[in-house]
Amino acid sequence: MKFTKMHGLGNDYVYLDCTESGPGDLPGLARRMSDRHFGVGADGLICVRTSERADFRMEMYNADGSEGEMCGNGIRCVGKFLYDKGLTDQTELTIETLAGEKTLELHVEGGTVVSVSVDMGEPILTPERIPVLGAGESFLSRRIMVNGREWAVTCVSMGNPHAVVFVPDVDRLNLEEWGPAFEHHAIFPNRTNTEFVEVENQSTLRMRVWERGSGETMACGTGACAALVAAVLSYRARRIATVKLRGGSLTVRWEESDGHVYMTGPAVTVFEGEWPDT
Ligand SMILES: N[C@H](CCC[C@H](N)C(=O)O)C(=O)O
């Protein structure tokens, strides 16, 4: 079985062309291929499929085999995968995801996609749609206890759940301790991705992320969008900002006119490979 290894700012996935056919047991395959010692090594697995309602469909699994509703770094690479492999010649694409249809604008240089802009849609703030246990219309800067320490948490869904916390110095945080404590916290029925954000200035955020199902990753596209939304809602940032992640930077804009969040960033192909059919 052929696969392509790609990354968006170091948030790396195995990509399969499932437009004709695809393997079964994708959760199990995601776990096996993601293993950084006994497999290919990745943050998860992404299958590109045909769609009845969009140009194509993205199906995404984390390294633990759980399915994610949306993947920002992943969908940029899906755009590159489709164009570079000649599955499309369009530079504007719609991709069906479990979080709805997303529109991509591919930026081509020298016949290959170098970066992609994604309309990530509107952020979801109502607790029961995130989901997070909590009354009211939104879950903004609410104090919760995590491992005996009080944190002010803002929850945002970009189709997948995010808990955003603002900290003075992201480098001093022990994510191995705090990441799982948030991910598996009782108030998140479907677990959560967690963004630890340091505000450099009103147009620059620095962020580390512990991803649901994958652990700390070098970057998280949906997480960067959630972080920007939380920063705007708490008057920490303007509506357009550079979000600096361990693997590099994304430009994120929360457009006032349509309420949509737009994200622009790179997409890179690392290598093509062959996985033994099992
Ligand atoms: N771990 C996420 C999916 C991948 C999101 C991230 N890699 C991105 O770029 O948005 C979840 O379970 O919701």
Side-chain angles (χ1 to χ4, degrees):
M1 177 184 72
K2 293 192 182 310
F3 70 84
T4 303
K5 185 73 188 327
M6 305 178 79
H7 74 83
L9 300 180
N11 185 206
D12 60 334
Y13 293 90
V14 171
Y15 290 76
L16 302 180
D17 177 353
C18 299
T19 54
E20 307 273 321
S21 67
D25 183 23
L26 288 170
L29 187 63
R31 284 189 290 272
R32 289 191 301 279
M33 293 190 86
S34 299
D35 190 297
R36 294 196 185 278
H37 300 284
F38 299 101
V40 175
D43 289 327
L45 171 68
I46 291 181
C47 299
V48 180
R49 296 186 183 281
T50 55
S51 167
E52 308 284 307
R53 53 199 313 179
D55 293 321
F56 292 92
R57 179 162 69 89
M58 174 179 77
E59 190 174 341
M60 182 271 156
Y61 295 87
N62 294 304
D64 71 352
S66 61
E67 187 170 8
E69 300 85 348
M70 178 47 194
C71 181
N73 289 313
I75 206 168
R76 296 200 315 274
C77 290
V78 165
K80 177 177 179 66
F81 181 94
L82 289 163
Y83 187 89
D84 288 5
K85 290 183 176 296
L87 291 162
T88 184
D89 58 4
Q90 300 166 216
T91 55
E92 179 124 352
L93 284 173
T94 55
I95 306 292
E96 178 189 349
T97 75
L98 290 179
E101 286 73 63
K102 309 297 175 187
T103 303
L104 275 56
E105 190 187 336
L106 310 183
H107 310 300
V108 177
E109 279 176 26
T112 181
V113 174
V114 291
S115 71
V116 181
S117 296
V118 187
D119 176 353
M120 300 288 281
E122 288 194 57
I124 296 163
L125 300 174
T126 46
E128 68 272 5
R129 291 182 60 208
I130 291 177
V132 59
L133 301 182
E137 288 305 302
S138 60
F139 199 104
L140 305 184
S141 301
R142 289 222 194 145
R143 300 203 166 280
I144 66 169
M145 292 305 287
V146 182
N147 278 8
R149 175 172 153 183
E150 191 179 72
W151 295 78
V153 180
T154 295
C155 293
V156 179
S157 168
M158 295 305 299
N160 59 349
H162 294 272
V164 181
V165 293
F166 292 96
V167 297
D169 181 347
V170 285
D171 295 327
R172 284 188 36 227
L173 268 177
N174 176 0
L175 257 64
E176 295 297 327
E177 174 192 356
W178 295 110
F182 275 90
E183 177 183 0
H184 300 281
H185 195 286
I187 62 168
F188 300 110
N190 297 346
R191 300 186 288 166
T192 191
N193 302 284
T194 307
E195 288 74 31
F196 302 88
V197 184
E198 179 182 332
V199 179
E200 279 192 3
N201 57 56
Q202 289 252 328
S203 51
T204 314
L205 305 177
R206 278 191 70 219
M207 176 185 126
R208 288 172 69 190
V209 56
W210 183 271
E211 283 201 31
R212 174 181 65 173
S214 294
E216 180 168 15
T217 60
M218 297 293 285
C220 179
T222 53
C225 295
L228 187 272
V229 168
V232 170
L233 291 173
S234 55
Y235 308 102
R236 289 180 167 95
R238 296 195 188 90
R239 284 183 162 267
I240 181 166
T242 298
V243 182
K244 296 158 80 171
L245 303 113
R246 285 182 61 189
S249 295
L250 292 170
T251 301
V252 183
R253 180 175 96 252
W254 186 10
E255 182 57 52
E256 196 136 26
S257 59
D258 60 5
H260 286 207
V261 181
Y262 295 86
M263 168 194 66
T264 299
V268 176
T269 298
V270 185
F271 65 88
E272 306 286 345
E274 190 87 30
W275 181 262
D277 287 325
T278 45

